[in-house]
Amino acid sequence: MKELNFIQKLKQGDEIAYQILYDKYYQWLCNYVFKLCENKKLSEDIVQDMLMKFYEKRRKITITGSLKNYLFTSCHNQFLQHLRKKKIKFDDLDTIKCEVIASSMNTQEYHQETKLKKLHQYIDELPPRCKEIFVKNKLEKTIYKDIAKDMDISVKTVENQMSKALKHLRKRANQFML
């Protein structure tokens, strides 16, 4: 309940709430992005951009989980947007994501890691456009409408591509289980 009140204050533009948000999360977010890009200045720029967008869109933002998760996901998405602007190959994004995930795992999660690798392998098998749509929706948590707008395609196309991706992944997962 306390976090809900805090989020409400942020939505209302409360300066003290924003200062608390900045003090509590800024360094963590910078460290997270630094692990992705290994560039201190770039990581700070990405976090600053994300916090500015957060403030600008504060009234429209809906946070269904924790604020911390929302902020980290937003930073991750901001980093991916930066990579797209630099025209880095899509496969490099998968490699970076796998490296970050792998570095945060411990030995007790070996089976989880194997499943995750298989999932990434199955995602890599998708056609490029289908893969991009799937990643935007499932990994980046982008809604269909925004994906359609970003890619200049219809929402129906996004739905069809997601259906195709999920069908492929289910089929491959069932083969893996046999």
Side-chain angles (χ1 to χ4, degrees), residues 10-23:
L10 290 170
K11 284 185 166 197
Q12 294 167 354
D14 184 333
E15 290 180 20
I16 295 172
Y18 272 92
Q19 186 60 47
I20 293 169
L21 173 83
Y22 185 89
D23 292 342

Side-chain angles (χ1 to χ4, degrees), residues 3-14:
E3 185 169 273
L4 291 175
N5 292 336
F6 184 70
I7 292 169
Q8 196 60 29
K9 287 182 180 186
L10 290 170
K11 284 185 166 197
Q12 294 167 354
D14 184 333

Side-chain angles (χ1 to χ4, degrees), residues 20-161:
I20 293 169
L21 173 83
Y22 185 89
D23 292 342
K24 185 172 182 179
Y25 293 107
Y26 180 79
Q27 197 57 53
W28 280 0
L29 295 170
C30 286
N31 290 341
Y32 171 73
V33 177
F34 180 78
K35 285 182 183 180
L36 298 173
C37 67
E38 298 183 348
N39 182 325
K40 185 177 191 309
K41 184 175 177 352
L42 178 60
S43 64
E44 291 172 349
D45 289 345
I46 288 172
V47 173
Q48 286 290 344
D49 288 346
M50 184 281 300
L51 289 172
M52 287 298 294
K53 286 181 181 179
F54 181 84
Y55 181 79
E56 291 168 358
K57 297 179 181 182
R58 67 187 178 276
R59 287 179 172 73
K60 297 177 188 174
I61 291 174
T62 303
I63 301 173
T64 55
S66 75
L67 176 61
K68 180 179 177 180
N69 288 343
Y70 181 88
L71 294 172
F72 277 86
T73 300
S74 297
C75 278
H76 187 82
N77 291 342
Q78 190 73 26
F79 172 71
L80 293 177
Q81 285 178 347
H82 167 75
L83 291 180
R84 278 188 214 102
K85 288 178 185 173
K86 294 288 186 183
K87 297 182 180 174
I88 293 176
K89 285 190 250 172
F90 202 75
D91 290 335
D92 292 342
L93 297 177
D94 289 342
T95 302
I96 292 167
K97 188 169 202 101
C98 285
E99 288 173 0
V100 169
I101 291 170
S103 71
S104 67
M105 291 182 170
N106 61 34
T107 55
Q108 294 175 347
E109 298 177 23
Y110 174 76
H111 293 292
Q112 180 103 8
E113 184 177 350
T114 303
K115 289 178 185 178
L116 191 60
K117 284 181 182 178
K118 281 290 185 190
L119 177 60
H120 279 281
Q121 176 186 340
Y122 299 155
I123 291 171
D124 286 340
E125 294 171 357
L126 294 170
R129 184 170 158 177
C130 185
K131 176 182 173 182
E132 183 177 3
I133 290 169
F134 179 84
V135 168
K136 283 182 181 226
N137 179 253
K138 294 299 181 185
L139 301 179
E140 298 173 20
K141 307 293 186 206
T142 308
I143 62 173
Y144 285 7
K145 182 179 168 186
D146 291 342
I147 295 170
K149 184 178 176 184
D150 289 346
M151 296 180 71
D152 197 29
I153 56 176
S154 72
V155 173
K156 189 67 175 170
T157 300
V158 173
E159 291 171 355
N160 290 338
Q161 291 294 312

